Amino acid sequence: MRIDPVRLKLKELLDANARFDLAARGTTNHCPMALLALAEMGASAERLQAFFDRWEREYALRAPPVDVVIAREDWSEHLGNAAAFGALRVFFLEWITEVGSVPVIVAVLNDVPFAPATQAFHALIRLAYGIEAAHSGEIASGLAALVCSHLPVDLQFDPSRAAESVEAGFEHVIDAMGGGAVEGSSITSRLRVVASDVRFRQAVLAPPASTCLLDDLARATIAAYWRSRNFTILHTVTATHAARILFAQLPGEMAKRLLPGLWGAMCAAYVTVGRQVGVGMDVVPESEVSWSDVRRLAVAADDDHVIKMAYTCLCEYRRQPSAVYLATAARLVGLDLGQR
């Protein structure tokens, strides 16, 4: 059987990524997520290596040595302990090696509150991409990030006060919070402000009664990003896709139980942005751009957010074709819509 050199290189680089810290210079460690997206969009082994080398040279921080051993019964005591990332990663990796990834994911999400807003949604995205890559180390890293950087959006929903739609739910809570953007130096800091605001907790509605809330969230978030080009809203698009990957691994009832947590985190993210006056076009233009054009330029890109967002658009388009995904990805990579 022929061994795929791209898959071999991806595994090699995801293994090597373990020497990087959770944080990076001015950001978080996006490298493993971008590598998976590049590989899935057709990047060569050489391109993966070049991206990794550039990330290591310009952004990566060396992971501190792990000098703490976490016992099986003690891991949840490190909830919110940012310094425990390395030790938690080692612990989760050993546990996954012993029993497999799905039992560990289920156990973690059963024992700690689901907090998809953690690390501005990056912990969720990293976990999902680790699942997609079938890479135990990255699954362990995603779980460790969810635990050590835990950012809960603690809400109690009244079923009698449910949003009529995803969009209506977002608008309702933005209205209740005054419609303005939240001040803060980062997405995470702004999310923390909203999550701790009693007005937000009182105003947010229960998720709309829908048999396909995840699909509704996907449609609403991509439409909002197309109109606004807002960086925070971009993260809600990639996070919704990541949640789809994660939930597919879980028992159906568990995924259903976790969905309100995703809804609450999304509402918080939209409140941080405030009421957006669309800078893009409401109507998606007819485009002769092809996905092969988009993939080629996305693979050549160095911006990790462009890479991940283009990949998300490609995946969601394959699942449920919509012109807005192609138009959004084309705009991200600099293609002139309407022209080949």
Side-chain angles (χ1 to χ4, degrees), residues 43-107:
S44 66
E46 293 75 19
R47 173 62 185 134
L48 296 184
Q49 185 68 62
F51 183 90
F52 180 91
D53 291 344
R54 178 177 177 274
W55 185 272
E56 182 168 32
R57 185 172 60 251
E58 298 184 11
Y59 296 104
L61 296 173
R62 180 71 60 174
V66 175
D67 52 10
V68 174
V69 176
I70 296 177
R72 183 72 56 90
E73 63 273 14
D74 296 336
W75 69 265
S76 61
E77 295 179 7
H78 295 276
L79 192 67
N81 177 11
F85 172 74
L88 283 166
R89 182 190 182 280
V90 170
F91 166 74
F92 286 133
L93 181 56
E94 291 175 348
W95 193 2
I96 289 168
T97 301
E98 179 184 331
V99 302
S101 62
V102 173
V104 177
I105 293 169
V106 169

Side-chain angles (χ1 to χ4, degrees), residues 13 27 109 118 122 175 279:
L13 296 178
T27 183
L109 295 180
T118 298
H122 290 116
D175 283 343
V279 297

